[in-house]
C-alpha cells in the first residue's frame, strides 16, 4: 500500500511539473511573437470610464490602445456585461491576449462583511477565510479576476485612516490573518470562483510618520524585517499571486523604485514568481517625491527596481520602449515582467476562454446567495468587542417593556458598510443593508415598545436634538445609544489628528446618562477612537466597528444574547493622541516606569498614564473563564527541541461562550533588546457553561527566533517568561524556561 501511495504521489507531482512546463512553454512561445509595444502593453493598466448601468462608453484613446494590444489590465470595470465588452475589444487585437480585470474587493463584494480591522477582532481564522472566499466568489461571478487585497500592513497608529483595512498592530496575528485571507481569496486559481490576491502595500506603509497617509517611513532594517515584513512573507507562502507597491518612501527611497524591496527581497531572497503592480500612479509620483526629474526617469527607476505593471501612471506606456532603444533598460527585464503577467493569465484559464468569468446566470445566482448573508451575520457578530458590562446590564431581555434607541447611526443603512465597500450601481442600500433599528425590531417581542431619537449629527456642534433624546430616554427602561464615525472618516486619505468621538456625540452620551437610566453605548468606527468619559461612566460599551450588510441583525444578536460576544482588540486603544504610536509589545527602556504613577526620571508622561485605555487582545464575554493547571513538558530545551504547554480552561459562568486564549513570551536578555511581551500563539475555544477543556500549545525554534543586529534569523540561549491570558495585560498563568546553547 505504501508503494502504491508513493507512486501516486510521484505521478501527481510529475503531472504538476508537466502542466507548469506547458504554461511556461506557451508563455515563451507567445512572447516570441510580441513586438516591444505589445510587451509594454501588458505592463499597462487603465481604469474604466464608468461603472453605471446602461450602454458603456469607452474613451476613444483607451479603446484604440486595447485593440492595438497596448493594455494588459483594467480596473474599476464591474459586472459581466461590462467586462465582456472590454474583453471583446482585446479580442480584436493582433495576438488576442485577454485583459485582466482588477477591483478593490476589500471586505466583500455585494455581500459586505465587517471592515478588515473589525474582522481581525474576531480572532477567528476560519471565519476570515470564509468571508474572503465568499467575496472572491461574488467578484469572480461579476467578471473580476483580481482583487487588490489583502492589506497586510502592520498599523500601530490609529490616526492613520487605513488601519481599518488591515489586521492591527501585531506581527504574529497579522501574519496568520494574511495567510488565511490569501487562501480564501484565491482558492485554486483557474476555478471560476477564485480571483488573484494582491498583497499590499510593499512595504512598511503602516509606519507613515505622524499617521499621515502617503507619508515617509524611516526605520531600522531590523524593525522592517522583524515587525513589518513577516505578514508579507506569510501571504507569499500562502500562494499570493501578486504584490502591490506602497506609496511611501522607505528610508529615503520610494517603494515603487526600491530595488532592495522588490528585487533583493521579494523576487530574490523570497523567490516570488508572481508579478508586482504599482499603486495608483505611484510610478509617476516618484517625480513628486523628488527621486526622479520626470516620468521617463520614473519609468526607468520602477522597471529596474522590479515593478512589473504600471497602474494608471502611463509611465511605461509612453517611455519604456524609448528606454529600451537607448539601452537603459535591458529587454530581458521587460520580458521577465511580461512573462510574469502572462503566466497568471494562463493560470486563470483566460487564454482558453477569455469570457469564462462573464456568465450572467452565475452572476445572478452568486450575488443573491442567501448563504452568503448568513455567513455575513455570523462573522459580523464574531467581530463585535464587548468593552464594558458593569452589573451585567447586557444581554438585554427581549421582553423589556420599553427601549429607547438613540443616536445618529440608529437608522442608517449605508453607514454600516464602512469604507472600501464596493459600490455596485444597482445596489439599494435601504433594501440590502440591515440598519441597527431594523435589527432591533427583528429581535424584540411584540410587547416591547421601541422609541427613537436622533439626538445629533455625527459631526458638527448642533445640540438641538438633545432635549428630545433626553425626553425619550426618560420614558424607557433601558437606553441604547449608537454613535461613532461616519463611514468615510476612516480609510484611504482619511488620517485624523483628533481621534476623539466626532462632534457633540459624547456630550449626547453625558446628557442621556444623566437621566439615570441604564445605558448601553454602541461605537461604530473604522479605527480605535478615544472616548474616555463614556468608557469611565457608562455601564456598558460595545465596539461594533463597521459590520457590513448584516450589521443590524448581528448587533441585535449580541445585545440580546443570541450570540455571546467573543471579539478581542487587534489594536491598543490610546487614552490620548499624545501617546501615539502606542502598542503592547514595546521595549522596556533603561528607565522603565515600574508603576503607573511613577514619573520621576523614568520613561513616562508626567500628565498621563503610559498604559492604553483598552489593551491589545482585550474583550469581555457574558460568561467567565478560569485558567488553571499550567504545565510545561520541559523547563530546559535546545533549539532543536520543543516544549509542550498544557493548561485547563473552564467556562465558569452560566452561558456558553468563546474565549481567545493568548500565549505570550518574553525573551529576557538578547544581543538586541527584546519586547516586554510578544504574542506567539492563540486558540479560540468554545465551551458550554461549566465545561472544562485541556489546551495544548507547542513552543519550538520558530517561536523563539528573532533578527539580531546583523539581520540573522535565529535563537540565542537564555531565559524566557511564558505568559497565558485573556489579553496582553490580563495574564492568568505564568512560568519560565531556559533555552540552552
Amino acid at each position: 500500500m505504501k508503494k502504491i501511495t508513493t507512486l501516486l504521489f510521484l505521478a501527481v507531482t510529475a503531472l504538476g511539473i508537466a502542466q507548469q512546463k506547458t504554461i511556461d512553454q506557451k508563455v515563451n512561445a507567445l512572447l516570441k511573437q510580441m513586438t516591444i509595444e505589445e510587451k509594454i502593453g501588458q505592463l499597462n493598466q487603465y481604469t474604466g470610464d464608468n461603472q453605471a448601468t446602461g450602454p458603456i462608453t469607452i474613451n476613444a484613446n483607451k479603446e484604440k490602445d486595447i485593440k492595438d494590444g497596448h493594455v494588459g489590465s483594467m480596473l474599476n470595470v464591474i459586472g459581466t456585461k461590462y467586462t465582456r465588452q472590454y474583453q471583446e475589444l482585446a479580442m480584436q487585437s493582433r495576438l488576442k491576449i485577454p485583459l485582466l480585470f482588477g477591483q478593490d474587493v476589500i471586505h466583500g463584494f455585494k455581500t459586505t462583511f465587517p471592515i478588515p480591522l473589525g474582522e481581525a477582532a474576531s480572532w477567528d481564522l476560519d471565519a476570515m477565510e470564509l468571508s474572503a472566499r465568499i467575496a472572491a466568489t461574488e467578484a469572480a461571478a461579476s467578471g473580476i479576476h483580481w482583487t487588490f487585497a489583502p492589506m497586510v500592513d502592520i498599523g500601530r497608529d490609529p490616526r492613520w485612516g487605513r488601519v481599518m483595512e488591515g489586521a492591527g498592530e501585531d506581527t504574529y496575528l497579522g501574519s496568520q490573518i494574511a495567510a488565511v485571507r490569501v487562501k480564501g481569496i484565491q482558492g485554486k486559481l483557474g476555478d471560476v470562483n477564485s480571483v488573484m490576491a494582491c498583497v499590499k502595500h510593499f512595504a512598511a506603509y503602516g509606519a507613515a510618520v505622524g499617521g499621515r497617509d502617503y507619508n515617509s517611513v524611516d526605520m531600522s532594517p531590523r524593525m522592517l524585517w522583524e515587525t513589518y515584513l513577516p505578514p508579507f512573507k506569510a501571504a507569499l507562502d500562502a500562494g499570493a499571486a501578486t504584490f502591490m507597491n506602497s506609496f511611501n518612501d522607505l528610508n529615503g527611497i520610494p517603494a515603487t523604485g526600491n530595488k532592495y524591496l522588490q528585487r533583493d527581497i521579494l523576487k530574490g531572497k523570497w523567490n516570488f514568481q508572481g508579478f508586482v503592480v504599482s499603486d495608483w500612479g505611484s510610478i509617476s509620483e516618484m517625480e513628486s517625491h523628488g527621486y526622479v526629474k520626470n516620468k521617463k526617469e520614473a519609468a526607468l527607476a520602477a522597471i529596474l527596481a522590479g515593478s512589473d505593471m504600471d497602474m494608471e501612471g502611463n509611465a511605461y506606456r509612453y517611455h519604456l520602449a524609448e528606454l529600451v532603444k537607448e539601452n537603459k533598460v535591458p529587454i530581458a527585464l521587460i520580458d521577465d515582467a511580461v512573462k510574469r503577467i502572462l503566466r497568471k493569465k494562463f493560470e486563470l484559464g483566460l487564454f482558453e476562454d477569455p469570457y469564462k468569468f462573464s456568465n450572467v446566470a452565475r452572476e445572478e445566482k452568486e450575488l443573491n446567495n442567501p448563504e452568503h448573508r448568513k455567513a455575513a451575520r455570523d462573522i459580523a457578530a464574531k467581530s463585535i468587542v464587548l468593552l464594558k458590562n458593569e452589573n451585567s446590564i447586557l444581554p438585554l431581555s427581549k421582553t423589556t417593556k420599553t427601549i429607547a434607541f438613540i443616536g445618529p447611526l440608529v437608522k442608517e443603512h449605508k453607514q454600516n458598510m464602512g469604507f472600501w465597500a464596493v459600490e455596485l450601481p444597482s445596489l439599494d442600500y435601504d433594501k440590502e443593508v440591515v440598519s441597527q433599528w431594523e435589527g432591533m425590531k427583528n429581535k424584540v417581542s411584540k410587547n416591547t415598545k421601541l422609541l427613537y431619537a436622533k439626538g445629533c449629527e455625527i459631526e458638527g456642534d448642533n445640540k438641538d436634538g438633545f432635549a428630545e433624546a433626553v425626553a425619550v430616554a426618560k420614558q424607557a427602561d433601558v437606553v441604547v445609544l449608537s454613535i461613532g464615525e461616519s463611514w468615510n472618516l476612516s480609510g484611504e486619505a482619511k488620517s485624523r489628528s483628533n481621534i476623539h468621538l466626532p462632534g457633540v456625540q459624547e456630550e449626547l452620551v453625558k446628557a442621556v446618562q444623566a437621566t439615570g437610566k441604564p445605558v448601553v453605548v454602541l461605537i461604530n468606527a473604522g479605527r480605535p477612537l478615544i472616548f474616555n468619559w463614556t468608557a469611565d461612566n457608562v455601564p456598558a460599551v460595545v465596539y461594533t466597528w463597521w459590520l457590513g450588510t448584516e450589521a443590524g441583525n448581528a448587533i441585535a444578536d449580541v445585545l440580546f444574547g443570541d450570540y455571546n460576544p467573543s471579539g478581542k482588540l487587534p489594536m491598543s486603544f490610546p487614552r490620548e493622541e499624545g501617546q501615539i504610536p502606542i502598542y503592547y509589545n514595546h521595549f522596556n527602556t533603561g528607565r522603565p516606569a515600574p508603576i503607573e504613577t511613577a514619573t520621576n526620571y523614568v520613561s513616562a508622561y508626567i500628565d498621563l498614564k503610559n498604559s492604553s485605555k483598552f489593551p491589545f487582545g482585550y474583550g469581555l464575554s457574558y460568561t467567565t473563564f478560569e485558567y488553571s493547571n499550567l504545565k510545561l513538558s520541559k523547563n530546559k530545551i535546545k533549539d532543536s527541541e520543543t516544549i509542550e504547554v498544557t493548561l485547563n480552561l473552564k467556562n465558569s459562568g452560566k452561558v456558553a461562550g468563546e474565549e481567545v486564549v493568548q500565549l505570550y513570551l518574553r525573551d529576557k536578555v538578547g544581543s538586541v533588546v527584546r519586547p516586554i511581551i510578544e504574542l506567539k500563539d492563540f486558540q479560540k475555544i468554545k465551551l458550554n457553561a461549566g465545561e472544562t477543556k485541556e489546551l495544548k500549545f507547542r513552543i519550538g525554534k520558530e517561536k523563539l527566533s528573532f533578527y539580531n543586529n546583523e539581520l540573522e534569523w535565529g535563537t540565542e540561549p537564555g531565559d524566557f517568561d511564558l505568559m497565558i491570558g485573556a489579553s496582553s495585560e490580563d495574564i492568568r498563568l505564568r512560568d519560565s524556561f531556559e533555552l540552552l546553547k
Side-chain angles (χ1 to χ4, degrees):
M1 184 65 186
K2 184 177 179 181
K3 184 177 181 180
I4 294 173
T5 303
T6 303
L7 290 172
L8 285 172
F9 171 77
L10 292 173
V12 171
T13 303
L15 178 62
I17 294 172
Q19 289 175 336
Q20 184 59 49
K21 283 184 177 178
T22 300
I23 288 178
D24 287 344
Q25 289 169 354
K26 290 178 179 179
V27 168
N28 289 331
L30 180 57
L31 192 70
K32 290 178 182 179
Q33 302 176 53
M34 298 174 72
T35 65
I36 182 65
E37 289 79 12
E38 288 169 331
K39 290 178 180 179
I40 293 169
Q42 289 303 299
L43 314 186
N44 181 33
Q45 184 182 59
Y46 283 152
T47 188
D49 289 297
N50 72 56
Q51 302 175 48
T53 56
I56 191 167
T57 57
I58 301 175
N59 175 279
N61 292 328
K62 289 181 182 178
E63 180 176 347
K64 183 178 185 304
D65 279 352
I66 294 171
K67 288 180 178 179
D68 289 344
H70 295 164
V71 183
S73 176
M74 298 292 300
L75 74 158
N76 294 331
V77 180
I78 299 177
T80 57
K81 176 181 178 181
Y82 302 110
T83 56
R84 188 177 186 92
Q85 286 181 258
Y86 274 96
Q87 198 70 283
E88 286 171 349
L89 295 177
M91 291 303 101
Q92 297 175 47
S93 64
R94 185 177 74 90
L95 295 175
K96 296 179 171 53
I97 300 175
L99 293 169
L100 281 175
F101 294 104
Q103 183 65 34
D104 286 294
V105 184
I106 306 303
H107 54 110
F109 192 71
K110 181 184 179 185
T111 305
T112 304
F113 293 89
I115 60 166
L117 185 63
E119 268 196 355
S122 75
W123 293 55
D124 191 320
L125 299 178
D126 291 340
M128 285 181 264
E129 183 171 348
L130 176 61
S131 76
R133 181 89 293 275
I134 291 172
T137 298
E138 292 187 358
S142 295
I144 304 301
H145 309 137
W146 181 23
T147 174
F148 306 122
M151 190 190 92
V152 304
D153 299 300
I154 295 299
R156 292 175 162 181
D157 190 334
R159 295 173 301 180
W160 186 48
R162 295 195 85 162
V163 295
M164 60 76 57
E165 202 177 338
E169 71 186 49
D170 184 68
T171 301
Y172 179 82
L173 178 61
S175 297
Q176 300 298 306
I177 293 173
V180 297
R181 282 180 170 156
V182 167
K183 291 175 183 176
I185 289 167
Q186 292 192 169
K188 181 181 178 183
L189 285 187
D191 289 350
V192 293
N193 289 328
S194 294
V195 299
M196 295 194 301
C198 186
V199 185
K200 62 185 188 184
H201 305 83
F202 200 64
Y205 186 36
V209 173
R212 205 167 73 241
D213 216 349
Y214 318 122
N215 206 6
S216 299
V217 173
D218 202 321
M219 66 171 57
S220 70
R222 187 167 68 86
M223 180 68 76
L224 175 69
W225 278 91
E226 190 161 286
T227 302
Y228 290 89
L229 289 183
F232 290 97
K233 183 59 163 60
L236 185 150
D237 290 343
T242 69
F243 270 58
M244 180 185 286
N245 297 132
S246 53
F247 284 115
N248 57 281
D249 64 273
L250 176 63
N251 300 334
I253 309 295
T256 309
N258 197 310
K259 176 180 177 293
Y260 176 66
L261 287 176
Q262 296 173 89
R263 293 215 181 271
D264 296 352
I265 298 175
L266 184 59
K267 294 180 176 180
K269 186 177 180 66
W270 292 354
N271 194 31
F272 175 59
Q273 296 299 305
F275 68 86
V276 180
V277 63
S278 77
D279 209 333
W280 186 290
S282 68
I283 292 179
S284 301
E285 288 172 12
M286 286 193 284
E287 184 177 353
S288 298
H289 276 282
Y291 187 65
V292 296
K293 68 180 181 180
N294 53 41
K295 194 173 286 190
K296 181 179 178 180
E297 285 192 2
L300 175 63
I303 196 70
L304 292 179
S307 295
D308 299 309
M309 183 179 285
D310 180 3
M311 179 192 289
E312 270 295 312
N314 285 309
Y316 285 0
R317 171 77 178 86
Y318 295 114
H319 299 290
L320 270 188
E322 184 181 1
L323 289 165
V324 171
K325 291 176 184 177
E326 294 172 354
N327 294 318
K328 292 179 180 178
V329 173
I331 190 64
L333 290 187
I334 305 294
D335 288 349
D336 176 67
V338 174
K339 286 194 288 187
R340 289 171 179 270
I341 294 165
L342 292 178
R343 190 177 294 119
K344 294 307 173 188
K345 292 184 177 184
F346 275 108
E347 289 176 6
L348 287 168
L350 295 177
F351 281 95
E352 289 80 1
D353 181 4
Y355 308 109
K356 67 180 289 187
F357 291 83
S358 299
N359 185 305
V360 175
R362 186 165 61 88
E363 181 179 30
E364 176 69 19
K365 175 187 174 183
E366 295 298 350
L367 265 58
N368 295 284
N369 188 333
E371 294 302 312
H372 295 178
R373 292 193 71 109
K374 289 180 183 179
R377 181 171 180 168
D378 178 63
I379 295 168
K382 289 177 176 177
S383 303
I384 293 171
V385 183
L386 178 63
L387 296 179
K388 190 177 181 184
N389 192 22
E390 285 184 353
N391 302 318
S392 297
I393 187 174
L394 292 173
L396 302 176
S397 170
K398 296 173 188 176
T399 59
T400 302
K401 187 176 180 181
T402 306
I403 299 173
F405 206 179
I406 297 171
L409 294 164
V410 171
K411 292 191 174 182
E412 289 289 336
H413 289 87
K414 182 178 179 179
Q415 294 286 357
N416 293 292
M417 301 288 274
F419 202 86
W420 279 127
V422 179
E423 296 193 17
L424 299 177
S426 59
L427 192 63
D428 184 339
Y429 292 107
D430 290 348
K431 292 181 179 179
E432 293 292 336
V433 182
V434 181
S435 72
Q436 295 169 32
W437 177 257
E438 291 163 343
M440 180 83 78
K441 285 178 65 178
N442 293 339
K443 187 67 63 174
V444 297
S445 72
K446 295 178 181 178
N447 297 323
T448 298
K449 186 176 182 181
L450 286 181
L451 305 177
Y452 167 73
K454 188 172 185 178
C456 65
E457 300 294 338
I458 295 171
E459 297 183 86
D461 56 6
N462 190 322
K463 301 179 185 179
D464 291 349
F466 278 27
E468 180 191 11
V470 169
V472 166
K474 287 179 177 178
Q475 300 174 50
D477 298 303
V478 64
V479 181
V480 180
L481 274 159
S482 185
I483 59 175
E485 296 184 305
S486 60
W487 70 271
N488 60 356
L489 283 179
S490 289
E492 183 175 355
K494 305 299 179 185
S495 297
R496 293 176 58 197
S497 64
N498 180 342
I499 59 169
H500 283 68
L501 280 167
V504 294
Q505 292 181 93
E506 195 150 42
E507 293 180 58
L508 175 64
V509 176
K510 293 177 183 179
V512 171
Q513 175 73 7
T515 64
K517 298 291 184 175
V519 175
V520 178
V521 170
L522 310 177
I523 299 181
N524 309 262
R527 69 174 95 217
L529 293 177
I530 296 171
F531 45 96
N532 292 326
W533 192 94
T534 298
D536 292 340
N537 294 280
V538 173
V541 181
V542 183
Y543 218 79
T544 66
W545 315 100
W546 289 120
L547 296 175
T549 304
E550 285 287 321
N553 285 331
I555 290 170
D557 287 341
V558 168
L559 288 179
F560 292 93
D562 287 337
Y563 183 83
N564 187 349
S566 62
K568 302 279 188 174
L569 296 179
M571 285 188 73
S572 303
F573 277 44
R575 297 175 185 275
E576 296 291 346
E577 289 89 355
Q579 291 179 294
I580 298 171
I582 184 170
Y583 45 94
Y584 83 98
N585 51 346
H586 56 82
F587 299 144
N588 206 34
T589 83
R591 293 189 176 188
I595 57 175
E596 290 291 352
T597 56
T599 59
N600 191 29
Y601 297 102
V602 294
S603 181
Y605 302 101
I606 64 172
D607 59 348
L608 187 67
K609 293 180 178 180
N610 276 8
S611 62
S612 58
K613 188 68 177 179
F614 296 104
F616 173 82
Y618 174 83
L620 302 176
S621 170
Y622 295 153
T623 190
T624 55
F625 296 94
E626 291 181 0
Y627 293 63
S628 65
N629 202 28
L630 176 64
K631 294 181 181 178
L632 277 61
S633 61
K634 303 174 184 178
N635 287 102
K636 295 177 186 277
I637 62 166
K638 298 178 181 178
D639 69 2
S640 59
E641 299 176 322
T642 60
I643 295 175
E644 184 174 271
V645 179
T646 60
L647 70 142
N648 290 341
L649 180 70
K650 179 181 179 180
N651 181 341
S652 53
K654 297 179 180 180
V655 295
E658 294 172 280
E659 173 72 322
V660 179
V661 178
Q662 302 160 43
L663 185 151
Y664 295 90
L665 294 178
R666 180 180 183 183
D667 187 350
K668 298 183 74 172
V669 178
S671 60
V672 292
V673 296
R674 308 297 303 132
I676 63 166
I677 185 172
E678 291 182 281
L679 180 72
K680 290 296 183 179
D681 211 341
F682 64 90
Q683 293 183 37
K684 189 167 188 176
I685 305 297
K686 185 173 184 178
L687 297 174
N688 292 321
E691 183 181 2
T692 299
K693 186 173 183 178
E694 183 182 70
L695 307 185
K696 294 182 180 180
F697 294 94
R698 296 181 69 84
I699 299 172
K701 182 177 180 179
E702 186 66 20
K703 295 188 187 303
L704 303 177
S705 296
F706 63 94
Y707 287 98
N708 65 19
N709 208 40
E710 284 70 46
L711 296 184
E712 297 166 333
W713 175 255
T715 63
E716 293 178 355
D719 295 323
F720 288 79
D721 288 335
L722 180 145
M723 297 155 279
I724 293 179
S727 80
S728 57
E729 291 186 4
D730 184 7
I731 302 301
R732 308 289 183 88
L733 301 171
R734 297 175 182 270
D735 207 332
S736 61
F737 61 90
E738 182 182 359
L739 180 63
L740 303 173
K741 291 184 179 180

